[in-house]
């Protein structure tokens, strides 16, 4: 069995090359890499990937830019292995990633989702410890040690209090993720939306503590740009309202309450209020305040 690795590509060329090189550096060679180019301008990545001349690597380029949600759908539809990961084109696999994920799947085949250990890095690739990650990992993430399964309403409650998962590092059972779809209209929070739908459907999630992935946080990302102008939080508020209704329909009152409170999301918005005030941009400031203090 091999691991299906997908990179939906749109963005920085040097970082993309580093992402591919991190796949090539795996100590376990049982992987298949598919790069799905969302019609990014230029031809450099095509020439680079096809020039690697590795039978495990496939390059596909779309005729037109379809956006990240549709590219995620494409990646999932192309999977041929039991387990898949849709990594970011600016993130890095540590050399043990394939080993860790395949071993975890063998040990816990019932897990629909695997969250391996993650190191946060900054734009330059240096270890980083953002406050938002410290809060989510230490206060929100379910406590415990060693590899462990979490599921049901307790998992939903923790995720709705604060999404402590790192989407690009997650490995999914292909047969299970294909039973669900990415929700349109939530381009920044679509990862949480999909996972919550899976949890509502009975997903078991394996927390595997061994660090094997580097997740890059930097100010040029799409989600970071939306944080600055406040538009991300409009989408988040809409999604949490939907999540509240879905959890209530399931009879998960605590999860519905967590969605209604959206505590870390509100706190996150407050972090950007001083910057919006200094820029005297009433639109973003109002958006941030409504998200932090509104219903």
């Amino acid at each position: 069995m091999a691991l299906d690795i997908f990179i939906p590509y749109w963005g920085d060329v040097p970082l993309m090359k580093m992402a591919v090189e991190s796949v090539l550096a795996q100590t376990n060679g049982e992987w298949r890499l598919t790069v799905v180019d969302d019609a990014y301008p230029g031809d450099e990545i095509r020439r680079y990937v096809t020039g690697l001349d590795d039978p495990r690597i496939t390059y596909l380029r779309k005729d037109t830019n379809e956006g990240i949600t549709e590219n995620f759908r494409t990646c999932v539809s192309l999977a041929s292995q039991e387990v898949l990961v849709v990594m970011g084109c600016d993130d890095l696999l540590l050399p043990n990633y394939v080993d860790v994920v395949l071993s975890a799947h063998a040990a816990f085949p019932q897990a629909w989702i695997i969250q391996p250990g993650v190191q946060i890095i900054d734009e330059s690739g240096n270890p980083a410890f953002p406050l938002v990650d410290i809060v989510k990992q230490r206060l929100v993430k379910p406590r415990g040690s060693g590899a462990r399964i979490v599921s049901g309403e307790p998992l939903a409650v923790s995720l709705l209090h604060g999404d402590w998962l790192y989407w690009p590092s997650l490995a999914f059972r292909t047969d299970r993720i294909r039973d669900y779809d990415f929700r349109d209209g939530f381009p920044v929070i679509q990862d949480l939306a999909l996972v919550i739908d899976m949890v509502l459907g009975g997903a078991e999630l394996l927390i595997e503590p061994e660090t094997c992935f580097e997740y890059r946080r930097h100010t040029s990302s799409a989600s970071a740009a939306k944080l600055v102008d406040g538009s991300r939080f409009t989408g988040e508020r809409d999604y949490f309202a939907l999540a509240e209704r879905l959890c209530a329909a399931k009879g998960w009152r605590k999860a519905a309450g967590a969605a209604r409170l959206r505590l870390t999301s509100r706190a996150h918005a407050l972090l950007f209020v001083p910057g919006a005030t200094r820029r005297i941009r009433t639109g973003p400031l109002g958006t941030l305040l409504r998200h932090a203090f509104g219903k």
Side-chain angles (χ1 to χ4, degrees), residues 14 53 72 75 81 90 96 109 116 119 149 154 156 163-164 182 190 208-209 223-225 237 241 267 278 281 289 293:
D53 194 26
F72 280 173
C75 290
Q81 303 299 312
D90 56 357
N96 60 334
Q119 169 65 60
I149 292 285
D163 184 6
W164 46 270
F182 297 93
Q190 62 192 339
E208 165 51 63
S223 58
R237 190 166 60 254
R278 285 194 298 271
R281 296 171 64 190
L289 292 175
F293 298 111

Side-chain angles (χ1 to χ4, degrees), residues 7-263:
I7 303 182
Y9 173 62
W10 176 276
D12 186 286
V13 171
L15 291 181
M16 171 61 180
K17 290 181 178 180
M18 290 175 63
V20 173
E21 288 163 8
S22 77
V23 177
L24 292 169
Q26 292 299 296
T27 55
N28 185 333
E30 293 301 317
W31 50 264
R32 302 289 182 271
L33 172 63
T34 303
V35 175
V36 184
D37 187 334
D38 200 19
Y40 189 76
D43 194 39
E44 187 172 354
I45 287 301
R46 182 195 65 78
R47 289 184 284 107
Y48 166 71
V49 175
T50 57
L52 294 171
D53 194 26
D54 189 318
R56 297 171 298 179
I57 300 177
T58 301
Y59 173 86
L60 299 174
R61 179 179 173 85
K62 297 194 173 187
D63 294 331
T64 59
N65 175 255
E66 296 181 336
I68 189 64
T69 301
E70 200 58 44
N71 212 357
F72 280 173
R73 287 178 175 135
T74 299
C75 290
V76 172
S77 73
L78 293 170
S80 61
Q81 303 299 312
E82 288 183 18
V83 183
L84 67 86
V85 57
V86 183
M87 68 176 288
C89 58
D90 56 357
D91 299 313
L92 300 170
L93 305 183
L94 292 177
N96 60 334
Y97 182 85
V98 171
D99 258 332
V100 169
V101 167
L102 291 183
S103 295
H105 174 62
F108 298 89
Q110 75 274 25
W112 297 17
I113 309 168
I114 301 170
Q115 172 61 81
V118 172
Q119 169 65 60
I120 310 300
I121 57 175
D122 62 16
E123 292 97 329
S124 302
N126 299 313
F129 304 94
L131 178 61
V132 64
D133 292 284
I134 293 173
V135 170
K136 289 179 179 179
Q137 295 302 313
R138 294 184 180 178
L139 299 181
V140 181
K141 181 179 178 180
R143 296 189 178 185
S145 60
R148 57 201 186 277
I149 292 285
V150 289
S151 63
E153 186 173 14
L155 174 56
V157 168
S158 70
L159 290 172
L160 292 167
H161 275 318
D163 184 6
W164 46 270
L165 299 174
Y166 295 99
W167 165 262
S169 71
L170 295 177
F172 294 87
R173 270 182 50 178
T174 301
D175 61 340
R176 292 302 188 178
I177 193 173
R178 279 185 173 159
D179 288 338
Y180 298 85
D181 191 14
F182 297 93
R183 290 182 178 271
D184 292 313
F186 303 106
V188 174
I189 201 170
Q190 62 192 339
D191 51 349
L192 176 62
L194 176 69
V195 170
I196 290 296
D197 283 346
M198 294 181 74
V199 173
L200 286 164
E204 295 189 4
L205 184 147
L206 172 66
I207 299 175
E208 165 51 63
E210 184 172 352
T211 301
C212 58
F213 191 94
E214 290 187 329
Y215 177 81
R216 194 182 304 272
R217 285 204 184 278
H218 51 85
T219 55
S220 62
S221 68
S223 58
K226 291 181 180 295
L227 285 171
V228 173
D229 67 16
S231 61
R232 169 182 179 139
F233 295 110
T234 300
E236 283 197 8
R237 190 166 60 254
D238 292 342
Y239 172 69
F240 280 113
L242 170 62
E244 180 182 359
R245 295 193 298 272
L246 293 173
C247 291
K250 181 77 171 178
W252 288 2
R253 294 182 180 180
K254 290 182 179 179
R260 183 168 57 255
L261 289 174
R262 61 179 195 280
L263 291 176

